[in-house]
Amino acid sequence: MRGNVKKALKEVPLVTVTFEGTRKMTGESRRSDLWFILLSLLALSLSVTFLAIGRKFFLGNVESDYLGNFIPEAERFLRGEPLLVEFHPPLYAIAIGLVHHVFRDWFQTGLFLSWASSLASIVFIFLFFRYVSGDWEALGAIFGLVLSPTFLVHSATASSDLFFFALYSACFLLALLAVMRNAYRYWFLAGFLIGFALLTRVNAVCLFPLFLLPWISGLKRREAWIRFSALLVSFFFVLTIWTAYAWISHSPFFVQEAHLNLAMTYFSPGPDRMTHDAYLAVKGKFGNLLDVLGHDPLHLASVYARDFLFMIGRNMFLLVSPLVSFAALFGCSFFIRKSKKPVLYVYGMATLLHVLLINFKTYEDRFYIFLIPLFGASAGSFIEWVLEKKFASRKPRKVLAAFLLVLLLASAGVSFQKAYGELHPAFELELEESLPKVRALIPAGSILVARKSIVAYYTESERLYFPDLDTLQDLREYLAPFYSHQRDVFLYYGFYERTMRPQLSILGERKALDFLAPVASSERGRDWVLYRLKKR
């Protein structure tokens, strides 16, 4: 068996086959690729730019992580202080710290990095699927991304999701080029990027199957060892730089509280498994990852299985456009049969590992952006099969192509409208009204009690977390240490407080209390109220 495999690899070595294919892609084919990439980049750039136009404020959700974790970490980096490395590796915080020197605005910095990362990932994804499979798969992967509300939303959101996705996609493209061109520089670059990806998110460990490529590419053992060493040396070079920086700055090398993300998912006392409330509920109960995994393995396994089934349904029907998911269901087998290359096997292995790893976290569609190109490529294979195999006659094929174009445009309109709605919610209207008023009333350096950091950020005040309390008496006792505080203390009750603290809805009625005095409120009704803590 092993001898037959070796013989087959020698007869059809991947490097030779792919290199010959690459030579054919010069000239007209390469020019058409370039034009398509440029047009795709232009369309995506205009779409994301339009989505971002009019965005004036952070809006919570994933941007709460940007405000509460990444900006403070970036500021510590810029001041030369030790990093905390609490939930995420440090690279994204370092990146926004460096880019902030250009924009001098954290919001614009985050939007720019996401916008640039989305354009870069389009290029990487197109080239990867073009080389590994074909034109239709590359087209499908691109349109899968462009038609995905999830991808569009996070391309115009200040978060690390697209930054990581661009690195993740570049790793596969460079690994493929390393096999195709048989050049050492691509192996080194691939190793560097795997290291950078790991310093961006812990789940980049799913990229480790790329280290198998030198061994399954039909190379002689000595050549495989050399290329494997190039990957390994460049990968550890990146980690060595971070180790040196961590040692010099007295920063922790490993992420400190990643195990609490797992604990929140499986052992949160309530239905909330992802917010700061859930984090506070499990903090102090688990010291490390082994504590979490060993706490109740049967419960963990049952919840994991339930989440896995839920994740499959959500990803197939909500992650991408229905047009793409429908075609992908039928086209997956065509895509696999057409793309039987070792690089694709490694890509599939890494993708499966990534899915299994991410499923340990409470579902969020942004975690699965890496699946969108695969769905799109499978859809492209199905459309190719329909148009070229089942409709060989030119006239029916033109009619069907026109019908697909109409579906494509309609799907694009629906996806764009959905993305625009998510990026411009009702909370944005609340901030447009409230921020000018509260900025004039809250002195810089004050303390602001709020569920999210957004209003505190824009008023240059220190946020005091608004905990999940049952009654006004509980709130009174929580604020008791601040009655005689030198700084002014305010409380903001708006959208997130109404949504997540409904038991204190009386605060939305702008009533004077014995410990809180209303100082400003919405003119539209019960949208928001600002209180000042009475001094004693």
Side-chain angles (χ1 to χ4, degrees), residues 255-434:
V255 176
Q256 299 299 290
E257 297 192 345
H259 64 284
L260 293 180
N261 272 324
L262 191 65
M264 290 160 54
T265 301
Y266 293 97
F267 303 113
S268 177
D272 175 15
R273 302 195 294 163
M274 60 194 309
T275 70
H276 195 69
D277 295 334
Y279 164 75
L280 292 176
V282 299
K283 187 177 181 180
K285 295 181 179 180
F286 302 93
N288 53 52
L289 183 61
L290 293 179
D291 287 347
V292 180
L293 295 175
H295 182 66
D296 190 346
L298 290 179
H299 171 75
L300 193 149
S302 63
V303 173
Y304 182 91
R306 183 193 67 196
D307 287 351
F308 188 80
L309 295 176
F310 175 78
M311 175 269 297
I312 291 175
R314 289 290 299 268
N315 283 343
M316 284 304 302
F317 300 105
L318 296 177
L319 182 65
V320 294
S321 162
L323 175 65
V324 175
S325 59
F326 175 80
L329 284 172
F330 293 95
C332 183
S333 60
F334 300 116
F335 173 65
I336 293 174
R337 284 203 298 266
K338 183 179 178 182
S339 307
K340 289 183 178 179
K341 299 181 176 71
V343 173
L344 191 70
Y345 298 151
V346 171
Y347 175 75
M349 190 186 310
T351 301
L352 178 60
L353 180 61
H354 203 171
V355 169
L356 295 176
L357 185 64
I358 289 295
N359 190 60
F360 277 105
K361 187 78 176 69
T362 304
Y363 182 88
E364 290 186 66
D365 55 2
R366 63 190 179 96
F367 294 151
Y368 295 90
I369 288 176
F370 68 93
L371 286 178
I372 298 174
L374 182 58
F375 289 161
S378 298
S381 285
F382 176 70
I383 294 173
E384 178 189 25
W385 177 78
V386 170
L387 290 178
E388 298 192 359
K389 306 295 182 183
K390 293 298 181 181
F391 291 89
S393 176
R394 184 179 297 273
K395 187 174 181 180
R397 191 164 62 181
K398 284 185 176 181
V399 173
L400 182 59
F403 176 70
L404 288 174
L405 180 61
V406 172
L407 285 180
L408 186 69
L409 293 175
S411 181
V414 171
S415 298
F416 189 85
Q417 184 179 24
K418 183 177 179 181
Y420 187 86
E422 289 189 37
L423 289 168
H424 299 277
F427 179 55
E428 187 176 53
L429 298 177
E430 177 185 313
L431 291 178
E432 286 181 350
E433 181 193 22
S434 66

Side-chain angles (χ1 to χ4, degrees), residues 420-472:
Y420 187 86
E422 289 189 37
L423 289 168
H424 299 277
F427 179 55
E428 187 176 53
L429 298 177
E430 177 185 313
L431 291 178
E432 286 181 350
E433 181 193 22
S434 66
L435 285 182
K437 296 180 179 180
V438 301
R439 278 172 173 164
L441 293 169
I442 301 177
S446 300
I447 296 175
L448 178 66
V449 181
R451 178 59 185 81
K452 297 282 187 178
S453 304
I454 299 166
V455 178
Y457 171 79
Y458 286 111
T459 56
E460 299 181 11
S461 54
E462 177 187 346
R463 192 208 34 161
L464 179 65
Y465 183 69
F466 195 143
D468 192 7
L469 303 170
D470 294 328
T471 65
L472 284 178

Side-chain angles (χ1 to χ4, degrees), residues 48 66 91-100 103 105-121 154-164 166:
V48 175
Y66 185 87
L91 186 60
Y92 182 70
I94 293 173
I96 64 172
L98 296 175
V99 178
H100 182 260
F103 292 95
D105 179 274
W106 290 112
F107 185 53
Q108 296 300 324
T109 295
L111 289 183
F112 172 78
L113 271 180
S114 293
W115 175 80
S117 298
S118 67
L119 299 186
S121 59
H154 291 283
S155 296
T157 299
S159 73
S160 63
D161 296 289
L162 266 295
F163 182 80
F164 174 74

Side-chain angles (χ1 to χ4, degrees), residues 238-251:
V238 173
L239 296 188
T240 301
I241 293 176
W242 163 240
T243 302
Y245 178 85
W247 181 74
I248 293 171
S249 64
H250 304 288
S251 304

Side-chain angles (χ1 to χ4, degrees), residues 31-51:
R31 284 194 294 272
S32 66
D33 286 354
L34 179 61
W35 275 110
F36 179 77
I37 291 174
L38 292 176
L39 290 174
S40 298
L41 286 175
L42 178 62
L44 181 64
S45 176
L46 292 175
S47 299
V48 175
T49 302
F50 182 81
L51 287 172

